[in-house]
Amino acid sequence: MPEYKEADINYIVRAEDFEKMYRFCRDLKERNLLFILYSTGARPSEILEMKREDVEIHDDRVIFHIITKKVRKKGMEKKFIIDKRHLVLKLPRDHPYIKNLERFVSRFEEGQKLFRMTRRTMHNIISRISRDALGISLCPYNFRHSFFTRFIEAGGRIEEAQYLKGARDMRSVMPYLHARKVEYDIDI
């Protein structure tokens, strides 16, 4: 039996990792679970709540409507927060990932969840695929962390990352600042 390295949450999933993992998916559901995790930065719980109408496929882009449901406890009071974010992914409709997404989503009726599974099942799927493809065990949150790291590396603004993350507090975005490349030009 091969030995696998356990990846820490700080492992950044890059495009080449995603492509290797995509090839190790067993079916259309696994491919699209992986694709949505990689391309949206959504929480696993948000992906499990996605319904057919939360994915809009257009000729030149895909729009994901990501709904956050959180319970915040302040003292003894519980506050329910429901937030809907929109993420636009610019890929043409004829791109292979989008073709697979369209085939997958078209199987569902309006109001049906795309992924009927538990978070544990999602974790097991991602762990298996990553071990087979990369030799390390990743979890769904590696994709969230990777998305925001790549976003900041690409020059994304902190305020945009906060919105996309569904974060109320700027402090939750601060760990991704390590990815920002800063160059100083100093005259001496």
Side-chain angles (χ1 to χ4, degrees), residues 90-106:
K90 293 184 179 181
L91 277 177
R93 189 177 218 132
D94 62 351
H95 191 284
Y97 297 143
I98 303 306
K99 283 182 178 180
N100 277 334
L101 180 65
E102 192 165 28
R103 275 187 27 227
F104 178 68
V105 170
S106 69

Side-chain angles (χ1 to χ4, degrees), residues 147-181:
F147 176 85
F148 289 105
T149 298
R150 291 189 323 268
F151 180 80
I152 296 297
E153 283 176 349
R157 292 180 38 235
I158 299 301
E159 296 82 8
E160 293 168 330
Q162 182 181 358
Y163 168 77
L164 290 172
K165 197 169 189 257
R168 299 258 184 255
D169 191 338
M170 185 68 78
R171 287 179 290 182
S172 69
V173 183
M174 298 312 251
Y176 303 106
L177 290 179
H178 73 277
R180 185 164 307 263
K181 293 181 175 90

